[in-house]
């Protein structure tokens, strides 16, 4: 879980970039599961709101390259 300061810093970063710069975020969690990581829906909702506004979301599936390499090694 992220600390309170880390959540605040991430929100400030996303908020500063919102509408001005491109942001790429990769995750293996759906937005609905972000509350588990942040432990604060009051922060998650505005972050996700800013990230998905004007966004292109690519949902990719398949096997993890890292897990595949680990099994082969």
């Amino acid at each position: 879980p992220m600390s309170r300061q880390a959540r605040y810093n991430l929100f400030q970063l996303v908020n500063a970039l919102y509408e001005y710069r491109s942001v790429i975020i990769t995750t293996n969690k759906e937005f609905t599961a972000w509350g588990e990581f942040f432990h604060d829906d009051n922060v998650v909702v505005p972050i996700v709101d800013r990230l998905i506004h004007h966004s292109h979301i690519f949902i990719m599936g398949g096997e993890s390259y890292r897990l595949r390499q680990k099994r082969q090694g």
Side-chain angles (χ1 to χ4, degrees):
M2 293 181 79
S3 70
R4 185 171 192 231
Q5 185 63 46
R7 291 189 302 259
Y8 175 79
N9 291 343
L10 180 61
F11 173 76
Q12 291 300 318
L13 176 65
V14 170
N15 195 51
L17 297 174
Y18 175 64
E19 299 266 4
Y20 296 104
R21 297 283 185 259
S22 297
V23 177
I24 297 175
I25 294 181
T26 62
T27 180
N28 61 346
K29 300 281 187 184
E30 296 180 12
F31 292 127
T32 56
W34 280 27
E36 298 169 16
F37 179 72
F38 285 94
H39 287 284
D40 187 352
D41 287 340
N42 293 326
V43 174
V44 174
V45 171
I47 289 174
V48 171
D49 182 59
R50 284 162 178 77
L51 289 175
I52 65 173
H53 187 234
H54 303 305
S55 71
H56 297 278
I57 299 174
F58 298 95
I59 298 173
M60 303 167 74
E63 186 180 13
S64 166
Y65 292 113
R66 284 180 236 123
L67 289 177
R68 186 180 337 150
Q69 289 175 346
K70 186 175 181 177
R71 278 188 242 128
Q72 292 174 352

